[in-house]
Structures are given as C-alpha cells and as structure tokens.
C-alpha cells in the first residue's frame, strides 16, 4: 500500500501538480501544443474562449429558438426520482447500479420537464442519451456548433467517434466513473462542476461489482419502481460519493478512507465558452448549475483513445490487490466496463 500511495504523490509532483487546480489556457492551443503538453501526458486542461464563435452561445439561451428548431424532433429523456442515473441506489437493503427510465417524447415537452422542477412527484428529467445523439436527435441544431474541434482532431489524428448533447437542471448529477475516450466537453449555458482523479488513483475509487437495476416510471401514478434486471447482470462501479449527506458522511469516511484521506481531487468549473479536455481513463464526477432559465446545456466530443502502453499500465495497476481495500466476494458473471459520462 505504501508503494501505491507513493505513486499518487509522484504523479502529482512530476506532472499534475498538487494544487488541485486544472490548467487553464486563455485561447485554443496549437495541435502540437495540445498533443505534447496534454494528450501525451494524459493531463486535463480547460480552454477558455474556445467556442465564442459558436452561434449556440447566443441562440441556445432562448427557449423559443430551441423549441422552434426542434419542434418536430423526438428526443430521448432520462427520468429518475432524484437526478441520479447510472448511480448506486439502495434497493432491498443493499446497493444496486441503477439506470434511468428512458422515454421518447417531443423536444418541447422534454425541455418543459427538464426546466420545471415542480413537475409531477419527484421526477427529474435529464437529456443524456449519448450514442452520437447530437447528430441524430438534435441534428437541427448541428449548424450552431463546430462538427469537431479542429486543433484536437489534428492532434489526435481522427474525427470524433460521437458528439453528444446534454440538457439538465441543478438536480442532475453524474457519479464517479471513467471513459475510454479522449473527451472535449463544451458548456453552452449554465455551469458544470467537475471533480477529477487520474487513472493512478484507481484504488481510491473502491470499484466493486453491483447488481444492475432499471427504473420504470408510470405516468398514471407519477411513481417510480426500481427492479433488478433479469437475467442477473453485474456492473463494476465506483463506490465513493464525494458529497455524502450529513447522515451518511461518517459511514462514507469510514468505508472509503483512501479517497477522503488521500490527495484532494482536481476540481474545476466550466462556464459558457469553455472546453474541458478530459483525458481517457480519468475518473470524473459532475454536478451542474443552471442558467436563469433553469437548464445547463453542453456538447461533448468523444475521440477514440489509443489502446497503447498507458492502457496496459492502467490494467496492470488495477489488477494489484490493495490490502487497505476490503472487497466482498464478487459474483462470477458477464459484466460491462466502467463507462458513462456527464
């Protein structure tokens, strides 16, 4: 365990710094600078003033523009009772990995549900479909943003594998997870608040296997039900809640000391016009603050990561047993990787 803690310290001393702040550039980098200083080092950065030329930064502040452009579009809306989809939720005395109820509906209706926090009993709506949804469900808005990030595309040697749209309110959160993508995340309205941990800190996430469960929502009763998937499926997921409730705080601190007693995570807030470069395999937790109309809107670009020697090193590190982590016996079953987003 001492060797792993030394790794956490050294990666900060040699590359990332120990201030907990993410480097901020005041203008987009050259492709060479981006590749050399950030991609090759697997190091995040924020680029200010990166999307000021996008029409979206002005147009999307008006609900009338969005509902007009998408008046005939059906979109996928993710519904939960609390704003936590792809998250750990108690069920029958233990935790499960819960997925949202997904419903297709006209965009104007979806936007109304997102921004109306007084909507039917304990319903939180979040447009977070992923799967290249910006170019499919929201294609009428595609001209308002760049189709790709030119300096990133040149540095990475490819175009994005997917471009996604995110529309949520202050109740929508994303629990700690990682992605196998180089992520360029652009905020258009509102703010996004990120906590970040490098891949070297994988043991601090207490990744364990949790049974998968699915929310169902009844429009007749306005109630949710949460049921385990059949056949059984187990998902490896991060156990740490970095913002525990007062009644749960002591338990979280006791169960996950490597997180709460270790180096503080990197934190940053993205404003309209900002792009966050989130390197592949970095763990991230996301919250958001809405604009005056009650919504936060972002677009992100997923570029395929290189499955190179860094990926091999990460898998080797993750395979090392950490004596300070008590992990329950895991069921033997087919499971999926630790991927989602914000």
């Amino acid at each position: 365990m001492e060797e792993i803690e030394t790794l956490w310290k050294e990666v900060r001393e040699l590359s990332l710094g120990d201030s907990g702040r993410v480097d901020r550039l005041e203008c987009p980098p050259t492709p060479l600078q981006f590749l050399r200083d950030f991609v090759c080092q697997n190091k995040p950065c924020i680029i200010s003033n990166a999307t000021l030329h996008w029409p979206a930064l002005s147009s999307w502040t008006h609900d009338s523009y969005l509902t007009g452009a998408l008046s005939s579009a059906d979109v996928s809306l993710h519904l939960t009772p609390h704003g936590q989809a792809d998250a750990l939720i108690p069920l029958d005395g233990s935790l499960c990995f819960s997925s949202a109820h997904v419903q297709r509906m006209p965009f104007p209706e979806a936007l109304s549900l997102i921004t109306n926090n007084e909507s039917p009993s304990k319903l939180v709506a979040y447009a977070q479909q992923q799967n290249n949804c910006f170019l499919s469900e929201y294609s009428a808005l595609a001209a308002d943003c760049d189709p790709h990030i030119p300096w990133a595309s040149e540095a990475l040697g490819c175009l994005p594998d997917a471009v996604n749209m995110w529309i949520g309110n202050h109740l929508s959160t994303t629990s700690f997870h990682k992605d196998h993508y180089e992520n360029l995340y652009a905020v258009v309205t509102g703010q996004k608040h990120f906590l970040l941990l490098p891949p070297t800190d994988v043991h601090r996430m207490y990744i364990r296997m949790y049974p998968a469960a699915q929310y169902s929502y009844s429009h007749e009763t306005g109630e949710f039900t949460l049921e385990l998937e059949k056949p059984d499926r187990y998902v490896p997921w991060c156990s740490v809640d970095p913002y525990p409730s007062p009644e749960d705080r002591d338990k979280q601190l006791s169960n996950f000391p490597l997180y709460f007693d270790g180096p503080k995570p990197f934190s940053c807030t993205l404003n309209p016009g900002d792009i966050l470069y989130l390197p592949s395999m970095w763990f991230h937790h996301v919250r958001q603050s809405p604009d005056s109309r009650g919504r936060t809107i972002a677009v992100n670009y997923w570029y395929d990561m290189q499955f190179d020697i860094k990926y091999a090193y990460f898998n080797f590190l993750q395979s090392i047993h950490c004596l300070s982590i008590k992990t329950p016996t895991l069921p033997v079953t087919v499971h999926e990787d630790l991927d989602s987003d914000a």
Side-chain angles (χ1 to χ4, degrees), residues 58-116:
S58 57
S59 298
W60 293 7
T61 60
H62 304 287
D63 286 352
S64 58
Y65 175 83
L66 294 172
T67 55
L70 296 167
S71 59
S72 60
D74 282 351
V75 299
S76 301
L77 198 61
H78 292 233
L79 308 177
T80 64
H82 38 56
Q84 297 175 339
D86 295 342
L88 301 180
I89 301 297
L91 178 64
D92 297 332
S94 60
L95 293 174
C96 66
F97 174 81
S98 64
S99 297
H101 174 88
V102 182
Q103 181 161 341
R104 299 274 297 177
M105 64 179 65
F107 175 78
E109 181 182 343
L111 185 62
S112 177
L113 281 176
I114 292 169
T115 57
N116 181 11

Short mmCIF file of all heavy atoms in Angstrom, two decimals, residues 58-116:
data_model
loop_
_atom_site.label_atom_id
_atom_site.label_comp_id
_atom_site.label_asym_id
_atom_site.label_seq_id
_atom_site.Cartn_x
_atom_site.Cartn_y
_atom_site.Cartn_z
N SER A 58 -25.30 32.16 -28.18
CA SER A 58 -26.36 33.18 -28.08
C SER A 58 -27.73 32.58 -28.34
O SER A 58 -28.69 32.84 -27.60
CB SER A 58 -26.08 34.33 -29.04
OG SER A 58 -25.96 33.86 -30.37
N SER A 59 -27.83 31.74 -29.36
CA SER A 59 -29.15 31.21 -29.76
C SER A 59 -29.76 30.33 -28.70
O SER A 59 -30.97 30.38 -28.44
CB SER A 59 -29.03 30.44 -31.08
OG SER A 59 -28.59 31.27 -32.12
N TRP A 60 -28.94 29.48 -28.06
CA TRP A 60 -29.48 28.49 -27.14
C TRP A 60 -29.87 29.07 -25.79
O TRP A 60 -30.38 28.35 -24.92
CB TRP A 60 -28.50 27.34 -26.95
CG TRP A 60 -28.29 26.52 -28.19
CD1 TRP A 60 -28.76 26.77 -29.44
CD2 TRP A 60 -27.52 25.31 -28.29
NE1 TRP A 60 -28.34 25.80 -30.32
CE2 TRP A 60 -27.58 24.90 -29.64
CE3 TRP A 60 -26.79 24.55 -27.38
CZ2 TRP A 60 -26.94 23.74 -30.10
CZ3 TRP A 60 -26.15 23.41 -27.83
CH2 TRP A 60 -26.22 23.01 -29.17
N THR A 61 -29.65 30.35 -25.59
CA THR A 61 -30.13 30.98 -24.36
C THR A 61 -31.63 31.26 -24.42
O THR A 61 -32.23 31.63 -23.42
CB THR A 61 -29.38 32.29 -24.09
OG1 THR A 61 -29.59 33.19 -25.19
CG2 THR A 61 -27.88 32.04 -23.92
N HIS A 62 -32.22 31.06 -25.60
CA HIS A 62 -33.65 31.32 -25.79
C HIS A 62 -34.40 30.01 -25.99
O HIS A 62 -34.17 29.30 -26.97
CB HIS A 62 -33.87 32.23 -27.00
CG HIS A 62 -33.12 33.53 -26.93
ND1 HIS A 62 -33.47 34.56 -26.08
CD2 HIS A 62 -32.01 33.96 -27.60
CE1 HIS A 62 -32.63 35.56 -26.23
NE2 HIS A 62 -31.73 35.22 -27.14
N ASP A 63 -35.33 29.73 -25.09
CA ASP A 63 -36.12 28.51 -25.23
C ASP A 63 -36.90 28.51 -26.54
O ASP A 63 -37.10 27.46 -27.16
CB ASP A 63 -37.10 28.38 -24.06
CG ASP A 63 -36.41 27.97 -22.76
OD1 ASP A 63 -35.21 27.64 -22.80
OD2 ASP A 63 -37.09 27.99 -21.72
N SER A 64 -37.34 29.68 -26.96
CA SER A 64 -38.15 29.76 -28.18
C SER A 64 -37.34 29.31 -29.40
O SER A 64 -37.89 28.69 -30.32
CB SER A 64 -38.66 31.19 -28.39
OG SER A 64 -37.58 32.11 -28.47
N TYR A 65 -36.05 29.61 -29.41
CA TYR A 65 -35.22 29.16 -30.52
C TYR A 65 -35.09 27.64 -30.51
O TYR A 65 -35.24 26.98 -31.55
CB TYR A 65 -33.83 29.80 -30.44
CG TYR A 65 -32.88 29.27 -31.50
CD1 TYR A 65 -32.90 29.81 -32.78
CD2 TYR A 65 -32.00 28.23 -31.24
CE1 TYR A 65 -32.05 29.33 -33.77
CE2 TYR A 65 -31.15 27.73 -32.22
CZ TYR A 65 -31.17 28.27 -33.48
OH TYR A 65 -30.34 27.78 -34.45
N LEU A 66 -34.81 27.07 -29.34
CA LEU A 66 -34.63 25.61 -29.25
C LEU A 66 -35.91 24.88 -29.61
O LEU A 66 -35.89 23.91 -30.38
CB LEU A 66 -34.19 25.24 -27.83
CG LEU A 66 -32.81 25.74 -27.40
CD1 LEU A 66 -32.59 25.46 -25.90
CD2 LEU A 66 -31.72 25.08 -28.22
N THR A 67 -37.03 25.30 -29.05
CA THR A 67 -38.29 24.60 -29.32
C THR A 67 -38.73 24.80 -30.76
O THR A 67 -39.37 23.91 -31.35
CB THR A 67 -39.40 25.05 -28.36
OG1 THR A 67 -39.54 26.49 -28.43
CG2 THR A 67 -39.07 24.66 -26.92
N GLY A 68 -38.40 25.94 -31.36
CA GLY A 68 -38.72 26.15 -32.76
C GLY A 68 -37.89 25.27 -33.68
O GLY A 68 -38.42 24.62 -34.59
N ALA A 69 -36.59 25.22 -33.43
CA ALA A 69 -35.71 24.40 -34.27
C ALA A 69 -36.01 22.92 -34.13
O ALA A 69 -35.86 22.15 -35.10
CB ALA A 69 -34.25 24.68 -33.92
N LEU A 70 -36.44 22.51 -32.95
CA LEU A 70 -36.68 21.09 -32.67
C LEU A 70 -38.17 20.79 -32.47
O LEU A 70 -38.53 19.83 -31.80
CB LEU A 70 -35.91 20.67 -31.41
CG LEU A 70 -34.37 20.76 -31.52
CD1 LEU A 70 -33.72 20.65 -30.14
CD2 LEU A 70 -33.84 19.67 -32.44
N SER A 71 -39.02 21.58 -33.10
CA SER A 71 -40.46 21.44 -32.89
C SER A 71 -40.99 20.07 -33.32
O SER A 71 -41.96 19.56 -32.74
CB SER A 71 -41.21 22.54 -33.63
OG SER A 71 -40.93 22.48 -35.03
N SER A 72 -40.36 19.47 -34.31
CA SER A 72 -40.83 18.18 -34.81
C SER A 72 -39.92 17.03 -34.41
O SER A 72 -40.09 15.91 -34.89
CB SER A 72 -40.95 18.22 -36.34
OG SER A 72 -39.69 18.51 -36.94
N ALA A 73 -38.95 17.29 -33.53
CA ALA A 73 -37.98 16.26 -33.13
C ALA A 73 -38.44 15.53 -31.88
O ALA A 73 -38.90 16.15 -30.91
CB ALA A 73 -36.61 16.89 -32.89
N ASP A 74 -38.32 14.22 -31.91
CA ASP A 74 -38.49 13.40 -30.71
C ASP A 74 -37.11 13.11 -30.13
O ASP A 74 -36.18 12.75 -30.87
CB ASP A 74 -39.20 12.08 -31.03
CG ASP A 74 -40.69 12.25 -31.22
OD1 ASP A 74 -41.20 13.36 -30.92
OD2 ASP A 74 -41.34 11.30 -31.67
N VAL A 75 -36.97 13.27 -28.82
CA VAL A 75 -35.68 13.05 -28.16
C VAL A 75 -35.86 12.05 -27.02
O VAL A 75 -36.98 11.81 -26.54
CB VAL A 75 -35.08 14.36 -27.63
CG1 VAL A 75 -34.86 15.34 -28.76
CG2 VAL A 75 -35.97 14.97 -26.54
N SER A 76 -34.74 11.48 -26.60
CA SER A 76 -34.74 10.50 -25.50
C SER A 76 -34.49 11.23 -24.19
O SER A 76 -33.45 11.87 -24.02
CB SER A 76 -33.67 9.44 -25.73
OG SER A 76 -33.87 8.77 -26.95
N LEU A 77 -35.44 11.12 -23.26
CA LEU A 77 -35.32 11.79 -21.97
C LEU A 77 -35.15 10.73 -20.88
O LEU A 77 -35.88 9.74 -20.83
CB LEU A 77 -36.57 12.63 -21.70
CG LEU A 77 -36.45 13.70 -20.62
CD1 LEU A 77 -35.38 14.72 -20.99
CD2 LEU A 77 -37.78 14.39 -20.40
N HIS A 78 -34.17 10.94 -20.01
CA HIS A 78 -33.87 10.00 -18.93
C HIS A 78 -34.53 10.50 -17.64
O HIS A 78 -34.27 11.62 -17.20
CB HIS A 78 -32.36 9.87 -18.75
CG HIS A 78 -31.69 9.19 -19.90
ND1 HIS A 78 -30.86 8.10 -19.75
CD2 HIS A 78 -31.73 9.43 -21.25
CE1 HIS A 78 -30.42 7.70 -20.93
NE2 HIS A 78 -30.94 8.49 -21.85
N LEU A 79 -35.36 9.66 -17.06
CA LEU A 79 -36.17 10.04 -15.90
C LEU A 79 -35.75 9.24 -14.66
O LEU A 79 -35.62 8.02 -14.72
CB LEU A 79 -37.65 9.80 -16.18
CG LEU A 79 -38.23 10.41 -17.47
CD1 LEU A 79 -39.69 10.02 -17.62
CD2 LEU A 79 -38.07 11.92 -17.47
N THR A 80 -35.56 9.95 -13.55
CA THR A 80 -35.29 9.32 -12.25
C THR A 80 -36.04 10.11 -11.19
O THR A 80 -36.47 11.25 -11.42
CB THR A 80 -33.80 9.31 -11.90
OG1 THR A 80 -33.35 10.67 -11.76
CG2 THR A 80 -32.96 8.62 -12.98
N PRO A 81 -36.18 9.57 -9.98
CA PRO A 81 -36.86 10.32 -8.92
C PRO A 81 -35.97 11.35 -8.23
O PRO A 81 -36.46 12.14 -7.42
CB PRO A 81 -37.29 9.22 -7.94
CG PRO A 81 -36.31 8.13 -8.15
CD PRO A 81 -35.94 8.17 -9.61
N HIS A 82 -34.66 11.38 -8.55
CA HIS A 82 -33.74 12.20 -7.76
C HIS A 82 -32.62 12.83 -8.58
O HIS A 82 -31.83 13.60 -8.05
CB HIS A 82 -33.10 11.35 -6.66
CG HIS A 82 -32.78 9.95 -7.12
ND1 HIS A 82 -32.00 9.69 -8.22
CD2 HIS A 82 -33.19 8.76 -6.65
CE1 HIS A 82 -31.93 8.38 -8.40
NE2 HIS A 82 -32.65 7.79 -7.47
N GLY A 83 -32.50 12.50 -9.87
CA GLY A 83 -31.46 13.07 -10.69
C GLY A 83 -30.20 12.25 -10.78
O GLY A 83 -29.21 12.68 -11.39
N GLN A 84 -30.20 11.05 -10.21
CA GLN A 84 -29.02 10.19 -10.23
C GLN A 84 -29.29 8.97 -11.10
O GLN A 84 -29.89 8.00 -10.67
CB GLN A 84 -28.66 9.74 -8.81
CG GLN A 84 -28.29 10.89 -7.90
CD GLN A 84 -28.05 10.44 -6.47
OE1 GLN A 84 -28.53 9.39 -6.06
NE2 GLN A 84 -27.33 11.24 -5.71
N ALA A 85 -28.85 9.07 -12.35
CA ALA A 85 -28.91 7.92 -13.25
C ALA A 85 -27.51 7.35 -13.38
O ALA A 85 -26.52 8.07 -13.20
CB ALA A 85 -29.44 8.34 -14.61
N ASP A 86 -27.39 6.08 -13.71
CA ASP A 86 -26.09 5.41 -13.73
C ASP A 86 -25.38 5.69 -12.41
O ASP A 86 -24.27 6.24 -12.36
CB ASP A 86 -25.23 5.89 -14.90
CG ASP A 86 -25.82 5.52 -16.24
OD1 ASP A 86 -26.67 4.62 -16.27
OD2 ASP A 86 -25.44 6.13 -17.25
N ALA A 87 -26.04 5.29 -11.33
CA ALA A 87 -25.55 5.59 -9.98
C ALA A 87 -25.93 4.46 -9.03
O ALA A 87 -26.77 3.60 -9.36
CB ALA A 87 -26.12 6.91 -9.48
N LEU A 88 -25.31 4.47 -7.85
CA LEU A 88 -25.60 3.46 -6.84
C LEU A 88 -26.77 3.91 -5.98
O LEU A 88 -26.75 5.00 -5.40
CB LEU A 88 -24.37 3.20 -5.97
CG LEU A 88 -23.12 2.73 -6.73
CD1 LEU A 88 -21.96 2.52 -5.76
CD2 LEU A 88 -23.40 1.45 -7.51
N ILE A 89 -27.80 3.06 -5.92
CA ILE A 89 -29.04 3.37 -5.21
C ILE A 89 -29.39 2.20 -4.30
O ILE A 89 -29.27 1.04 -4.71
CB ILE A 89 -30.18 3.63 -6.21
CG1 ILE A 89 -29.82 4.77 -7.15
CG2 ILE A 89 -31.49 3.92 -5.48
CD1 ILE A 89 -29.63 6.12 -6.48
N PRO A 90 -29.86 2.46 -3.06
CA PRO A 90 -30.28 1.36 -2.19
C PRO A 90 -31.51 0.65 -2.74
O PRO A 90 -32.45 1.28 -3.23
CB PRO A 90 -30.60 2.06 -0.86
CG PRO A 90 -29.94 3.41 -0.93
CD PRO A 90 -29.94 3.77 -2.38
N LEU A 91 -31.49 -0.68 -2.64
CA LEU A 91 -32.64 -1.49 -3.05
C LEU A 91 -32.64 -2.74 -2.19
O LEU A 91 -31.68 -3.52 -2.22
CB LEU A 91 -32.56 -1.85 -4.53
CG LEU A 91 -33.67 -2.75 -5.07
CD1 LEU A 91 -35.02 -2.05 -4.99
CD2 LEU A 91 -33.39 -3.17 -6.52
N ASP A 92 -33.70 -2.94 -1.41
CA ASP A 92 -33.86 -4.13 -0.57
C ASP A 92 -32.65 -4.34 0.35
O ASP A 92 -32.13 -5.45 0.50
CB ASP A 92 -34.08 -5.38 -1.43
CG ASP A 92 -35.36 -5.30 -2.24
OD1 ASP A 92 -36.30 -4.62 -1.80
OD2 ASP A 92 -35.41 -5.92 -3.32
N GLY A 93 -32.17 -3.26 0.93
CA GLY A 93 -31.13 -3.37 1.94
C GLY A 93 -29.70 -3.37 1.42
O GLY A 93 -28.75 -3.44 2.22
N SER A 94 -29.50 -3.30 0.10
CA SER A 94 -28.14 -3.25 -0.44
C SER A 94 -28.13 -2.31 -1.64
O SER A 94 -29.17 -1.86 -2.11
CB SER A 94 -27.66 -4.64 -0.84
OG SER A 94 -28.50 -5.20 -1.83
N LEU A 95 -26.94 -2.01 -2.14
CA LEU A 95 -26.80 -1.07 -3.24
C LEU A 95 -26.89 -1.78 -4.59
O LEU A 95 -26.40 -2.90 -4.74
CB LEU A 95 -25.48 -0.32 -3.15
CG LEU A 95 -25.31 0.64 -1.97
CD1 LEU A 95 -23.90 1.20 -1.94
CD2 LEU A 95 -26.33 1.78 -2.05
N CYS A 96 -27.47 -1.11 -5.55
CA CYS A 96 -27.50 -1.62 -6.92
C CYS A 96 -27.10 -0.49 -7.87
O CYS A 96 -27.12 0.69 -7.51
CB CYS A 96 -28.90 -2.14 -7.29
SG CYS A 96 -30.17 -0.85 -7.35
N PHE A 97 -26.71 -0.87 -9.08
CA PHE A 97 -26.38 0.11 -10.11
C PHE A 97 -27.66 0.38 -10.90
O PHE A 97 -28.17 -0.50 -11.61
CB PHE A 97 -25.29 -0.43 -11.04
CG PHE A 97 -25.00 0.46 -12.21
CD1 PHE A 97 -24.18 1.57 -12.07
CD2 PHE A 97 -25.56 0.19 -13.45
CE1 PHE A 97 -23.93 2.40 -13.14
CE2 PHE A 97 -25.30 1.02 -14.54
CZ PHE A 97 -24.49 2.13 -14.38
N SER A 98 -28.18 1.59 -10.78
CA SER A 98 -29.49 1.90 -11.36
C SER A 98 -29.36 2.65 -12.68
O SER A 98 -28.51 3.53 -12.84
CB SER A 98 -30.31 2.75 -10.39
OG SER A 98 -29.68 4.01 -10.19
N SER A 99 -30.21 2.30 -13.64
CA SER A 99 -30.31 3.00 -14.91
C SER A 99 -31.65 3.71 -14.97
O SER A 99 -32.65 3.24 -14.42
CB SER A 99 -30.19 2.02 -16.08
OG SER A 99 -28.92 1.41 -16.10
N ALA A 100 -31.68 4.84 -15.65
CA ALA A 100 -32.88 5.66 -15.72
C ALA A 100 -33.95 5.03 -16.59
O ALA A 100 -33.67 4.19 -17.46
CB ALA A 100 -32.53 7.04 -16.26
N HIS A 101 -35.19 5.45 -16.37
CA HIS A 101 -36.27 5.17 -17.30
C HIS A 101 -36.10 6.11 -18.48
O HIS A 101 -35.99 7.33 -18.32
CB HIS A 101 -37.62 5.41 -16.61
CG HIS A 101 -38.80 5.28 -17.53
ND1 HIS A 101 -39.43 4.09 -17.76
CD2 HIS A 101 -39.45 6.20 -18.29
CE1 HIS A 101 -40.43 4.26 -18.61
NE2 HIS A 101 -40.46 5.53 -18.94
N VAL A 102 -36.04 5.57 -19.69
CA VAL A 102 -35.82 6.37 -20.89
C VAL A 102 -37.11 6.42 -21.70
O VAL A 102 -37.70 5.38 -22.00
CB VAL A 102 -34.67 5.80 -21.75
CG1 VAL A 102 -34.44 6.69 -22.98
CG2 VAL A 102 -33.40 5.68 -20.93
N GLN A 103 -37.52 7.63 -22.03
CA GLN A 103 -38.76 7.79 -22.79
C GLN A 103 -38.56 8.77 -23.94
O GLN A 103 -37.95 9.83 -23.78
CB GLN A 103 -39.87 8.31 -21.87
CG GLN A 103 -41.20 8.47 -22.60
CD GLN A 103 -42.37 8.53 -21.65
OE1 GLN A 103 -42.26 8.11 -20.50
NE2 GLN A 103 -43.48 9.04 -22.12
N ARG A 104 -39.05 8.40 -25.09
CA ARG A 104 -39.04 9.28 -26.25
C ARG A 104 -40.23 10.23 -26.17
O ARG A 104 -41.35 9.83 -25.85
CB ARG A 104 -39.11 8.47 -27.54
CG ARG A 104 -37.97 7.53 -27.76
CD ARG A 104 -36.79 8.17 -28.43
NE ARG A 104 -37.10 8.64 -29.78
CZ ARG A 104 -36.23 9.28 -30.55
NH1 ARG A 104 -35.02 9.56 -30.09
NH2 ARG A 104 -36.57 9.65 -31.77
N MET A 105 -39.98 11.50 -26.45
CA MET A 105 -41.07 12.48 -26.44
C MET A 105 -40.67 13.68 -27.28
O MET A 105 -39.48 13.88 -27.57
CB MET A 105 -41.40 12.91 -25.01
CG MET A 105 -40.29 13.66 -24.30
SD MET A 105 -40.77 14.16 -22.61
CE MET A 105 -40.95 12.56 -21.82
N PRO A 106 -41.64 14.50 -27.70
CA PRO A 106 -41.31 15.71 -28.45
C PRO A 106 -40.39 16.62 -27.63
O PRO A 106 -40.57 16.76 -26.42
CB PRO A 106 -42.67 16.36 -28.70
CG PRO A 106 -43.66 15.22 -28.60
CD PRO A 106 -43.09 14.30 -27.56
N PHE A 107 -39.43 17.25 -28.32
CA PHE A 107 -38.47 18.08 -27.59
C PHE A 107 -39.12 19.17 -26.75
O PHE A 107 -38.70 19.40 -25.61
CB PHE A 107 -37.44 18.70 -28.54
CG PHE A 107 -36.52 19.64 -27.83
CD1 PHE A 107 -35.46 19.14 -27.08
CD2 PHE A 107 -36.72 21.02 -27.87
CE1 PHE A 107 -34.61 20.01 -26.38
CE2 PHE A 107 -35.88 21.88 -27.19
CZ PHE A 107 -34.83 21.37 -26.44
N PRO A 108 -40.12 19.91 -27.25
CA PRO A 108 -40.69 20.96 -26.39
C PRO A 108 -41.22 20.40 -25.06
O PRO A 108 -41.06 21.04 -24.01
CB PRO A 108 -41.84 21.52 -27.25
CG PRO A 108 -41.38 21.29 -28.66
CD PRO A 108 -40.68 19.95 -28.62
N GLU A 109 -41.81 19.21 -25.09
CA GLU A 109 -42.28 18.58 -23.85
C GLU A 109 -41.11 18.19 -22.96
O GLU A 109 -41.14 18.36 -21.73
CB GLU A 109 -43.13 17.35 -24.19
CG GLU A 109 -43.70 16.64 -22.97
CD GLU A 109 -44.50 15.41 -23.35
OE1 GLU A 109 -44.89 15.29 -24.54
OE2 GLU A 109 -44.73 14.55 -22.46
N ALA A 110 -40.04 17.67 -23.57
CA ALA A 110 -38.86 17.28 -22.80
C ALA A 110 -38.23 18.48 -22.12
O ALA A 110 -37.86 18.42 -20.93
CB ALA A 110 -37.84 16.60 -23.72
N LEU A 111 -38.09 19.59 -22.84
CA LEU A 111 -37.49 20.79 -22.25
C LEU A 111 -38.32 21.31 -21.09
O LEU A 111 -37.78 21.75 -20.07
CB LEU A 111 -37.31 21.87 -23.32
CG LEU A 111 -36.59 23.14 -22.85
CD1 LEU A 111 -35.17 22.82 -22.41
CD2 LEU A 111 -36.58 24.18 -23.96
N SER A 112 -39.63 21.24 -21.23
CA SER A 112 -40.51 21.67 -20.15
C SER A 112 -40.31 20.82 -18.89
O SER A 112 -40.27 21.35 -17.77
CB SER A 112 -41.97 21.61 -20.61
OG SER A 112 -42.84 21.97 -19.56
N LEU A 113 -40.18 19.51 -19.06
CA LEU A 113 -39.96 18.64 -17.91
C LEU A 113 -38.60 18.91 -17.25
O LEU A 113 -38.47 18.85 -16.03
CB LEU A 113 -40.04 17.17 -18.33
CG LEU A 113 -41.42 16.58 -18.51
CD1 LEU A 113 -41.33 15.14 -19.03
CD2 LEU A 113 -42.21 16.61 -17.21
N ILE A 114 -37.59 19.21 -18.06
CA ILE A 114 -36.26 19.48 -17.51
C ILE A 114 -36.27 20.76 -16.67
O ILE A 114 -35.70 20.80 -15.57
CB ILE A 114 -35.22 19.59 -18.64
CG1 ILE A 114 -35.01 18.24 -19.31
CG2 ILE A 114 -33.89 20.13 -18.11
CD1 ILE A 114 -34.21 18.30 -20.59
N THR A 115 -36.91 21.79 -17.17
CA THR A 115 -36.83 23.09 -16.51
C THR A 115 -37.89 23.31 -15.45
O THR A 115 -37.77 24.22 -14.63
CB THR A 115 -36.94 24.22 -17.55
OG1 THR A 115 -38.17 24.08 -18.29
CG2 THR A 115 -35.78 24.17 -18.52
N ASN A 116 -38.92 22.47 -15.43
CA ASN A 116 -40.00 22.62 -14.45
C ASN A 116 -39.73 21.72 -13.26
O ASN A 116 -40.09 20.54 -13.25
CB ASN A 116 -41.36 22.29 -15.08
CG ASN A 116 -42.50 22.46 -14.09
OD1 ASN A 116 -42.32 23.02 -13.01
ND2 ASN A 116 -43.67 21.98 -14.45
#
